[in-house]
Amino acid sequence: MDGPRLSKDLRRYARSTEMRLVLGALAILFGVGGLLIYLFYGPGGAALGAVCLIVGLLPVVLILVALWILDVVLRRSHDR
């Protein structure tokens, strides 16, 4: 039973798992969605679909960045 040692840092493990799930979902969304749009509507439709997906994800990214900044500010103010 000389398997790899598991890390005791469960927060790091959860964070990395969440990141992998998000990246996998984005890969499926852009990959499969883009391929299907390309097959049905051609390259112009696929380009417009990619633009729409990016614009649709922009508010989510902005909210996540704002929450991250708030987290950093609160951690620094708590450490003082």
Side-chain angles (χ1 to χ4, degrees), residues 15-41:
R15 211 174 315 131
S16 72
T17 301
E18 288 174 1
M19 183 60 68
R20 288 178 184 164
L21 285 171
V22 167
L23 291 177
L26 288 174
I28 290 172
L29 181 67
F30 278 90
V32 174
L35 180 64
L36 288 173
I37 292 172
Y38 181 80
L39 290 176
F40 284 107
Y41 298 107

Side-chain angles (χ1 to χ4, degrees), residues 43-62:
L48 185 61
V51 169
C52 289
L53 284 171
I54 291 169
V55 170
L57 286 174
L58 189 62
V60 174
V61 170
L62 290 175

